[in-house]
Amino acid sequence: MSAAEFAYLNGQIIPWNEAKVHVFAPVVKYGIGVFEGIRGYWNEEAQQLYLFRVAEHLDRYAFSQKAMRFDRGPSQQELAEALVDVCRANAFRTNVHIRMMAFIDGSGDLEATGPIGTAITALPRETARKSIEGTSAQISSWMRMPDNVMPARIKCNANYHNARLAVVQAQRDDYDVPFLLNSRGKLAEAAWMCVFIVRDGRLITPSGTNDILESITRQTVIELAREYLGLETVERDVDRTELILAEEVFYCGTGAEIAPVTSVDRVVVGSGHPGAITRQLMEIYGAVVTGKNRAHKSWRTPVF
């Protein structure tokens, strides 16, 4: 049974079990949809649930639909209100993960660009313990698809089939996460998360032209590292051997937040424990998203 009572579908808040799409809809037949994952953080002291960087998520959501040639759906204002409405309807008093999806509804074929369906769901979600203590990564045998095959920088449902294959392989080989290389043999990302390394005290991450998602969490990390640690992030190609030469490795994403990697292909990274820069960024990020650190007020949308 779901931990949520209500969902949003096509302009209405409805009971969770009634949020359904027909099996013949193009989103079911072909996976034609785009989505956003958005985090909500409960601040016990303020008795407030904060949704993180809603404006940026809505901008990327709009770009994803444009890249996929979708017809126009609800406005960003309507969607922003719907995100809050879903959380209020479920009366969440805990951290949540929200999924907002635009999809091709109706009964069209592969080339259909509408009608546009809109769904928003939210479920409680806390930080995984392994993500705090450190995770193991595998260099996947699956390649990250290049941008001229699928638009890697957007959150298109179909892109995640590429990530799924890598995740299934990694888990069956007893790793926590896969790292995917791109068609040039350079580091792209960790399935659906972006990767950072620390070498010689410098923060480094693959550039946006390495077939990575244009990640909001990645940009947040870059901004917080500059503001609080005085670290400028170098955005460049990253070779696979740098992952084991690095002093620290971590990945980040809306769902994953910031998670340290303590081994790659069974080779220990750094000391084998989460590094100092990673731990500092985790602490700073956690304080900002929950509103315990009141900086960047515009990043947090209150629900109640």
Side-chain angles (χ1 to χ4, degrees):
M1 181 178 290
S2 167
E5 294 184 46
F6 300 99
Y8 173 100
L9 183 64
N10 297 332
Q12 293 183 308
I13 301 291
I14 61 176
W16 179 273
N17 290 335
E18 295 179 15
K20 299 176 181 179
V21 177
H22 198 279
V23 294
F24 201 69
V27 66
V28 179
K29 292 186 291 187
Y30 309 116
I32 308 175
V34 303
F35 72 97
E36 283 295 318
I38 301 172
R39 276 280 200 168
Y41 291 92
W42 177 248
N43 184 314
E44 183 67 28
E45 183 180 351
Q47 289 292 292
Q48 184 59 265
L49 181 68
Y50 293 112
L51 308 187
F52 192 60
R53 302 200 76 163
V54 168
E56 290 83 354
H57 280 286
L58 289 175
D59 284 344
R60 186 173 63 184
Y61 185 72
F63 175 66
S64 294
Q65 291 177 75
K66 180 179 180 180
M68 293 298 292
R69 311 297 196 269
F70 279 18
D71 294 344
R72 187 178 298 275
S75 70
Q76 293 199 12
Q77 181 62 38
E78 289 175 283
L79 292 168
E81 292 172 1
L83 288 167
V84 170
D85 288 345
V86 168
C87 292
R88 284 180 180 167
N90 286 290
F92 288 123
R93 298 294 189 275
T94 186
N95 294 351
V96 298
H97 185 269
I98 302 164
R99 179 174 291 262
M100 176 172 60
M101 184 168 72
F103 57 91
I104 305 298
D105 208 344
S107 57
D109 291 324
L110 191 61
E111 72 276 10
T113 59
I116 301 301
T118 304
I120 303 174
T121 57
L123 291 169
R125 183 167 175 177
E126 297 294 339
T127 300
R129 185 171 181 81
K130 246 183 182 177
S131 295
I132 299 171
E133 296 176 345
T135 58
S136 61
Q138 176 190 52
I139 304 296
S140 182
S141 64
W142 291 98
M143 183 185 77
R144 174 68 170 168
M145 76 274 176
D147 194 63
N148 61 350
V149 171
M150 292 285 286
R153 57 178 26 90
I154 69 170
K155 290 186 77 70
C156 165
N157 291 25
N159 288 357
Y160 285 72
H161 291 272
N162 179 227
R164 177 184 175 274
L165 290 168
V167 168
V168 169
Q169 178 193 25
Q171 291 181 350
R172 291 187 179 179
D173 290 344
D174 201 26
Y175 293 90
D176 295 315
V177 295
F179 282 176
L180 286 83
L181 307 181
N182 61 28
S183 58
R184 297 183 295 109
K186 306 299 182 182
L187 176 65
E189 60 177 41
W192 44 77
M193 292 87 71
C194 287
V195 182
F196 286 78
I197 68 173
V198 178
R199 287 201 68 188
D200 302 320
R202 294 189 304 161
L203 196 58
I204 301 166
T205 192
S207 66
T209 53
N210 274 284
D211 300 318
I212 68 169
L213 174 70
E214 290 195 345
S215 165
I216 293 163
T217 311
R218 173 182 177 273
Q219 188 57 40
T220 301
V221 168
I222 290 171
E223 293 181 49
L224 295 179
R226 180 189 304 119
E227 182 177 351
Y228 289 94
L229 303 181
L231 290 176
E232 293 294 333
T233 301
V234 179
E235 300 180 60
R236 62 163 173 81
D237 288 354
V238 175
D239 289 327
R240 65 181 294 166
T241 51
E242 291 188 272
L243 290 164
I244 58 175
L245 292 172
E247 294 101 59
E248 302 179 37
V249 177
F250 66 88
Y251 56 84
C252 68
T254 296
E257 300 168 296
I258 298 175
V261 175
T262 49
S263 68
V264 177
D265 282 348
R266 315 279 188 220
V267 179
V268 171
V269 172
S271 66
H273 301 282
I277 291 174
T278 304
R279 284 186 281 106
Q280 289 177 80
L281 286 170
M282 291 169 69
E283 183 176 349
I284 294 163
Y285 183 82
V288 169
V289 298
T290 57
K292 293 176 182 177
N293 178 334
R294 297 184 181 180
H296 298 290
K297 183 179 179 181
S298 65
W299 289 356
R300 297 182 297 275
T301 300
V303 168
F304 301 111

